[in-house]
């Protein structure tokens, strides 16, 4: 039986549902020696503004129980240098390029998206309205239903590329944000971005990160992320891209069963840059064991009926 | 050559002091590719409650009678959770070991001299570098500073390779008392500019001082920095250090891929 | 130097800041053999309604990375049986008893609080407006500023005991809830309750918990909880009681530096029921090392100035 | 007597099959207090990525020549993360071991007979129970069901204690093929009501069946249930089972403190 792992995000066809999460895979090219970029479902590159950004002074990360907090501050080369220096090579490598688009203003989101639309080789635009690590823009839009709608509508008008707002988990009712995104013309939503978090060094009474606050990612957040993906997938008809602490095929499947059409892997890629082939093999194995021909058949197949007693 | 990830076995664990040990890992394939100054990212392979790997210089590359690598060692100093676990590791345990990573030191050949400057566990990259220098016939010195006599390790290894040793300790229990930069500074006084390559590894204040000394004496200087690293591959942007290279204003670069070895003159010290 | 670990929650003096978290210490008496109840700062008992409640069918817990999800469903003996069967003995043991009060309606919160006020030996009322595991009441109030204000004001009128609403972390801006609570007459706030979360069994496609959703607790959530406590402590003048993943003295100190006057320990008590003496010893050791005479001096002493470079 | 928490060392690990092993822990002080049917809560002590402890019956209490406890053993069956780690444990590893916990079985004395019914790893509580019965001179039988011959363990231990063995396997590779309740049911046919105490431990469907058989034959029956336990001390309310005891309608009780041993007739099976 030929097993088909492909999934569709609107008009975009991916050979498999595994996408490298933004900020966790550089511009993709950093990994060209350890991973076959064309074998990934997609590569979502680090968040880009119009211009270069320096980011926060280090320390920028701290490990936490089963997780990590980052406050990179969106260091980046800006969309123009990306289009010139990185995109051609990513295309050459056969990567399906998702670009994580940032902005301090709605206009900036629109401008960056326009540049990417005119460039060749961008598969989709992920709107980062959920970065907890910058002063203006980002999460300010993502924590307001109106802000979300405004950014999405504005970018929608500026591009024919799939528009995928990335939602923050730092809200009371994430499904309402998915709905606002859908209503404003989004082709899909992705979630979760990181949870606002901090660690204090009790010996010095000072923060561990220069930025004080950062975003929590990794396995620690997975059970919350799965819940949020499930809530969103029940609320909207557009595809949901799920992420948060995925480390193996079981985790990826958990998100897909909860309703994710595709998934992103972030932190786990740091722990094991060869995670991709392992997860793909695990998905394949699961499909074989469960006699699944098309992986897309399991999207949303979670059955909330209580479990049969474990002790039976 | 791309890095590889080896599910290595702990072959031996030699405790050198209450804080230092040398761990031998069956990561021959990593050793075979490693150049002096490169590092590996290590994580206990079984049910550890730490998440991320940690960076370690490759200390030695062990070889069989034919010179083929059989294992690598790490010089480990207890600093926290993973380093404590590496200190306590028992033979048979598994460690995921990814590497080699990063830019190596640039070895120099005669008539240049190679002067290594190590602070504490900053000794780690110099065993392989000294070997490589010796095989090229480059004259080498090691300025090695530690807290005390008890924390000076592997002097015989360097002696065997013909490296001239200059030792300092903070408590004066061996060699000169004080910082390692003092004898370095004095010794450089008698060297013509551009004749000596200085390699440094240790705490950043020491690196900054060494880079300053080198600059004053107009010698080249390569430093290996130790920033917190999340991935070791350029993926996370956690490990940045500010550099001044060429035309652009000072900016952050990722020390895992642009380094960990940098031209000391290019770094903007905190 | 005699070290003083005492703290005050309004008029209530506690010998030390360590309180057993509700739902993680039974009714306290389950632990009388392993812990000296009078040596704890306080014992917060399992959530109580007016009448007995059966709770959800098992499985009720599942372990997650550095955490656990529970959906107990507030099984409990009701406030009357508590007052008759448990309270006298808790008093005998010298425990400072915090009672976690639940309600399906505002009236029920008021009624339960009234019964407790008339009983002898209750030190404070913690209002559980944040339980994610029940259909009516609980988190419905805790996710609405008006609901929070209503419950707190109503209970405030019915009792002279310290009233401590327990806040849910499943909101966008937890500090606004702390403010609503303070404005409505709360004597303190406690946080965090658990994060709504779920785990899917990918082999069966079914939930792992009968209730599908449950609350995530344990070290996994600590960095988020610390951030929230910091936000609240900066927003209100009343004391904040912090919790979420505390396992040792370092963790407890982290919350206190962030602004918590006292802390609660929940999940860690399951892992090690002798955690109390260990954390107390750790606090004592910290005070000795840092020459702190009164532990209360460190409350809110976190200094957000960026850290001196770690590599110095 | 309150439970205690011992930082126990793994003294030995005997693998019995691909899934089963017997782990010896230096938890003498726990052993000294343990009565048959009680359990311990165990967690690897060093850097494990599992959070909660897991419950295990005390299998054996090892003693020195004077009868003083020296260690306990656990009969472990691989089911997931912790049990896999216990299977792979090496001597020298540390395990936090909290106990004894829970209500023990009620031993009976002659002229009552004691019939134990074990399914798979449900054998665990019966080694200590059989010992205690033997020391009182109570006649005992063990009905022991397993998947196959390969998973029948420690028969000699029970034989040495004079326990009559009745074995069944699912594949018929030893003893009767099928469920252990079949021979139990037949054997009870020849016993007068109220003369036999039945002790059962194993999967819940087996326990329910055994309780049913016991009731039909009007014999007393104690079952030990295995619900997911978060704490083992009554703190978390995770381990509940529905019982029908006395006047109140069926309700959930915490199996860690009201059990794990229950009167089989009182349980409301799922
Ligand atoms: C390129 C490179 C090579 C290195 N080579 C060696 C070596 O050969 N031998 C050796 O003993 N150490 C070496 N280090 C330092 C070593 O990586 C850290 O000591 C280690 O990561 C600490 O991890 P931990 O789990 O023990 O400590 P943690 O529990 O994570 O933290 C304890 C302390 O260590 C600091 N720290 C945490 N992570 C890092 C990090 N990635 N880099 C530096 N400091 C950190 C923290 O700020 C904290 O103060 C090297 C570091 C780098 C970047
Ligand atoms: C009183 C009591 C005594 C027990 N005695 C023994 C014994 O002597 N030997 C033995 O091998 N096992 C015994 N068990 C079962 C043992 O506790 C579980 O197999 C173990 O908890 C599984 O943990 P894990 O980390 O290996 O599996 P996990 O990775 O946690 O889960 C794997 C599977 O085990 C199930 N499970 C998880 N936790 C428990 C739990 N606490 N109880 C039952 N099932 C669980 C899960 O539902 C899942 O299907 C006993 C259980 C109880 C309640
Ligand atoms: C170091 C780091 C940098 C990140 N940078 C970005 C970013 O630039 N844009 C963005 O949308 N998300 C960013 N994220 C969030 C991730 O894309 C992802 O949403 C989150 O980490 C959860 O997934 P994970 O648990 O698999 O890492 C970053 C995460 C990490 C850990
Ligand atoms: C099993 C369990 C039961 C709980 N029951 C209650 C409860 O009845 N009332 C309540 O307010 N919080 C309840 N909580 C939440 C805890 O009191 C605490 O807020 C949360 O677990 C975070 O702290 P921790 O990480 O230290 O456990 C419960 C938590 C757990 C794990
Ligand atoms: S360590 Fe991740 S970019 Fe350098
Ligand atoms: S295991 Fe916690 S109450 Fe029984």
């Amino acid at each position: 039986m030929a097993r088909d792992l492909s999934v569709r995000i609107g008009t975009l066809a991916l050979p498999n549902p595994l996408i490298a999460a933004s900020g966790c895979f550089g511009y993709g090219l950093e990994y060209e020696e350890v991973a076959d970029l064309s074998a990934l479902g997609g590569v979502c590159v680090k968040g880009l503004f119009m211009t270069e950004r320096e980011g926060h002074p280090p320390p920028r990360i701290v490990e936490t129980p089963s997780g990590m907090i980052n406050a990179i501050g969106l260091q980046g080369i800006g969309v123009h240098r990306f289009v010139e220096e990185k995109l051609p090579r990513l295309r050459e490598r056969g990567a399906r390029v998702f670009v994580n688009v940032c902005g301090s203003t709605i206009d900036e989101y629109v401008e960056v998206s326009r540049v990417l639309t005119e460039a060749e080789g961008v598969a989709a635009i992920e709107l980062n309205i959920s970065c907890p690590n910058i002063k203006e823009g980002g999460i300010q839009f993502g924590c307001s239903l109106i802000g979300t709608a405004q950014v999405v509508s504005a970018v929608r008008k500026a591009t024919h590329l799939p528009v995928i707002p990335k939602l923050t988990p730092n809200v009371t009712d994430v499904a309402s944000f998915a709905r606002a995104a859908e209503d404003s013309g989004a082709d899909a939503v992705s979630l979760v971005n990181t949870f606002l978090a901090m660690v204090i060094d009790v010996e010095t009474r000072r923060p561990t990160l220069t930025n004080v606050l950062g975003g929590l990612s990794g396995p620690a957040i997975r059970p919350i992320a799965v819940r949020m993906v499930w809530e969103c997938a029940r609320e909207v008809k557009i595809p949901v891209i799920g992420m948060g602490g995925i480390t193996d095929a079981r985790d990826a499947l958990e998100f897909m069963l909860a309703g994710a059409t595709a998934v992103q892997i972030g932190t786990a890629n740091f722990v094991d840059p060869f995670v991709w082939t392992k997860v793909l093999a695990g998905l394949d194995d699961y499909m074989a064991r469960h006699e699944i021909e098309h992986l897309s058949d399991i999207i949303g197949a979670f059955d909330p009926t209580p479990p049969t007693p474990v002790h039976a | 050559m791309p890095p590889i990830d080896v599910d290595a076995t702990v072959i031996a664990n030699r405790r050198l002091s209450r804080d230092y040990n040398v761990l031998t890992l069956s990561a021959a394939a990593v050793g075979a590719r490693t150049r002096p100054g490169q590092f590996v990212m290590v994580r206990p392979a079984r049910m550890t409650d730490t998440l991320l790997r940690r960076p370690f210089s490759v200390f030695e590359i062990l070889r069989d009678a034919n010179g083929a690598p059989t294992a690598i060692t790490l010089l480990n100093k207890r600093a926290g959770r993973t380093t404590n676990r590496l200190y306590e590791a028992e033979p048979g345990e598994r460690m995921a070991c990814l590497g080699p990573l990063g830019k190596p030191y640039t070895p120099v050949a005669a008539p240049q001299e190679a002067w290594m400057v190590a602070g504490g566990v900053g000794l780690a990259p110099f065993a392989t570098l000294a070997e490589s220098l010796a095989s090229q016939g480059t004259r080498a010195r090691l300025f090695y500073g530690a807290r005390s006599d008890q924390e000076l390790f592997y002097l015989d290894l360097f002696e065997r390779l013909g490296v001239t040793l200059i030792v300092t300790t903070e408590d004066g229990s061996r060699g000169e008392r004080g910082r390692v930069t003092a004898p370095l500074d004095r010794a450089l006084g008698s060297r013509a500019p551009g004749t000596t390559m200085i390699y440094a590894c240790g705490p950043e204040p020491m690196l900054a001082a060494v880079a300053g000394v080198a600059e004053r004496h107009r010698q080249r200087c390569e430093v290996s920095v130790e920033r917190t690293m999340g991935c070791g591959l350029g993926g996370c942007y956690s490990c940045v250090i500010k550099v001044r290279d060429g035309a652009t204003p000072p900016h952050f670069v990722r020390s895992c891929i642009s380094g960990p070895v940098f031209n000391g003159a290019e770094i903007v010290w905190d």
Side-chain angles (χ1 to χ4, degrees), chain A, chain B:
Chain A
M1 186 172 69
R3 285 187 283 276
D4 164 24
L5 278 80
S6 71
V7 296
R8 297 191 78 85
I9 313 278
T11 56
L12 185 63
L14 306 179
N16 66 64
L18 306 185
I19 303 168
S22 178
C24 303
F25 208 63
Y27 295 110
L29 300 170
E30 289 85 345
Y31 286 86
E32 64 185 353
E33 280 197 319
V34 294
D36 172 0
L37 301 185
S38 73
L40 270 63
V43 170
C44 188
V45 300
K46 179 130 197 72
L48 291 169
F49 287 83
M50 277 306 279
T51 54
E52 294 189 29
R53 277 179 72 102
E54 176 165 56
H56 299 308
R60 292 176 166 185
I61 63 167
V62 58
E63 187 174 288
T64 67
S66 298
M68 65 180 283
I69 306 181
N70 86 80
I72 307 299
L74 288 171
Q75 176 175 352
I77 58 176
V79 68
H80 291 295
R81 275 186 61 196
F82 171 76
V83 166
E84 282 152 39
E85 296 171 23
K86 308 290 180 188
L87 195 53
R89 182 153 186 143
L90 282 165
R91 284 174 54 203
E92 231 171 70
R93 294 274 158 175
R96 280 152 293 278
V97 181
F98 289 60
V99 181
N100 188 259
V101 169
C102 304
S104 304
T105 62
I106 295 179
D107 282 349
E108 187 169 11
Y109 283 103
V110 171
E111 278 315 300
V112 176
S113 300
R114 206 165 264 151
V115 175
L116 292 168
T117 308
E118 280 156 19
E120 224 166 312
V122 175
I125 285 174
E126 181 174 66
L127 291 175
N128 184 352
I129 50 171
S130 44
C131 180
N133 291 325
I134 51 163
K135 284 235 174 55
E136 333 83 21
I139 206 169
Q140 290 186 333
F141 294 108
C143 283
S144 137
L145 286 171
I146 295 170
T148 299
Q150 286 173 334
V151 176
V152 176
S153 312
V155 173
R156 170 74 297 160
K157 287 186 202 109
T159 186
H160 63 271
L161 290 173
V163 174
I164 309 171
K166 182 166 176 180
L167 308 181
T168 173
N170 298 290
V171 295
T172 311
D173 178 16
V174 71
S176 64
F177 287 82
R179 161 137 313 289
E182 180 175 46
D183 292 346
S184 310
D187 297 282
V189 291
S190 63
L191 70 151
V192 300
N193 209 318
T194 52
F195 287 79
L196 259 178
M198 72 192 281
V199 172
I200 296 172
D201 180 338
V202 303
E203 298 301 325
T204 61
R205 303 183 180 184
R206 302 268 279 278
T208 52
L209 302 176
T210 304
N211 193 49
V212 185
L213 296 178
L216 181 67
S217 64
I221 66 169
R222 189 170 61 233
I224 317 178
V226 171
R227 183 263 296 179
M228 291 184 166
V229 165
W230 187 48
E231 289 174 348
C232 289
R234 287 188 301 172
E235 178 73 22
V236 296
K237 291 208 188 63
I238 51 176
V240 173
I241 300 175
M243 78 196 86
I246 295 175
T247 65
D248 59 18
R250 193 215 70 85
D251 302 342
L253 289 161
E254 193 183 7
F255 277 90
M256 293 188 75
L257 289 167
T261 298
V263 297
Q264 294 187 11
I265 299 179
T267 303
N269 175 68
F270 302 152
V271 181
D272 180 7
F274 299 99
V275 67
W276 308 99
T277 45
K278 294 174 192 169
V279 177
L280 279 174
L283 292 177
D284 203 64
D285 172 61
Y286 180 85
M287 291 171 73
R289 282 192 293 112
H290 290 265
E291 297 180 7
I292 296 163
E293 222 169 312
H294 304 285
L295 184 57
S296 57
D297 288 346
I298 72 154
I299 296 166
F302 169 55
D303 167 9
T305 320
T308 27
V310 256
H311 308 278
Chain B
M1 266 224 286
I4 52 172
D5 191 20
V6 176
D7 176 15
T9 303
V10 174
I11 297 173
N13 181 2
R14 201 175 132 219
R15 305 209 169 96
L16 304 175
S17 72
R18 282 183 48 194
D19 280 335
Y20 282 84
N21 66 310
V22 172
L23 201 67
T24 309
L25 298 176
S26 68
V30 172
R33 309 168 178 219
T34 301
R35 284 185 291 156
Q38 289 190 296
F39 65 98
V40 289
M41 294 288 288
V42 176
R43 180 175 190 261
R46 252 183 71 220
M47 292 188 82
T48 180
D49 64 358
T50 50
L51 178 67
L52 299 169
R53 295 177 189 241
R54 302 289 195 272
F56 292 88
S57 300
V58 172
F59 180 46
E60 299 157 293
I61 301 165
L62 306 184
R63 297 172 190 277
D64 64 16
N66 303 319
T70 56
I72 63 170
T73 71
L74 309 179
L75 177 65
N76 177 62
K77 182 184 174 194
R78 288 149 71 108
R81 303 174 54 73
T82 300
T83 48
N84 276 328
R85 171 124 177 202
L86 295 196
Y87 185 86
E88 286 161 14
E90 298 288 339
E93 277 191 49
R94 292 298 180 70
M95 299 283 161
C97 177
L98 173 74
L101 300 166
K103 296 241 185 327
Y105 285 113
T106 321
V108 291
Q112 291 270 317
E113 279 198 16
W115 292 13
M116 297 169 278
V117 188
V121 73
L123 183 71
F126 295 136
T128 56
L129 180 61
E131 229 175 45
S132 145
L133 293 165
S135 72
Q136 290 185 247
T138 311
R139 287 186 62 175
R141 295 191 196 182
L142 172 66
F143 296 80
Y144 181 11
R147 283 187 295 201
S148 80
D149 193 22
Q150 304 302 310
E151 296 199 343
L152 288 164
F153 309 111
Y154 282 76
L155 299 179
D156 52 335
L157 183 152
F158 291 91
E159 272 164 2
R160 245 190 348 260
L161 293 169
V163 176
T164 307
L165 289 177
I166 302 92
V167 158
T168 65
T169 53
E170 285 172 30
D171 65 358
S173 53
R174 178 145 171 192
E176 190 173 323
R177 183 202 206 95
R179 297 285 163 82
V180 74
T181 35
L184 173 70
D185 196 5
R186 285 200 309 273
L188 280 174
S190 60
R191 304 277 307 167
T195 61
T196 317
M197 172 67 134
I198 294 163
Y199 303 102
C201 185
E204 281 198 16
M206 180 200 102
L207 299 183
V210 171
V213 168
E215 206 165 350
R216 270 205 313 286
H217 292 280
R218 283 182 286 148
Q219 305 291 3
R220 278 200 296 157
C221 172
E222 288 188 342
V223 300
S224 176
V225 300
E226 297 191 356
R227 297 266 152 153
T228 305
M229 290 186 177
C231 71
L233 281 166
C236 73
Y237 281 79
S238 67
C239 59
V240 295
I241 190 158
K242 196 159 268 185
V243 298
R244 197 191 288 109
D245 53 358
T248 54
H251 59 284
F252 286 125
V253 300
R254 289 163 285 181
S255 65
C256 63
I257 54 174
S258 300
V261 173
F262 289 92
N263 176 342
E266 288 184 355
I267 291 187
V268 182
W269 302 103
D270 291 321

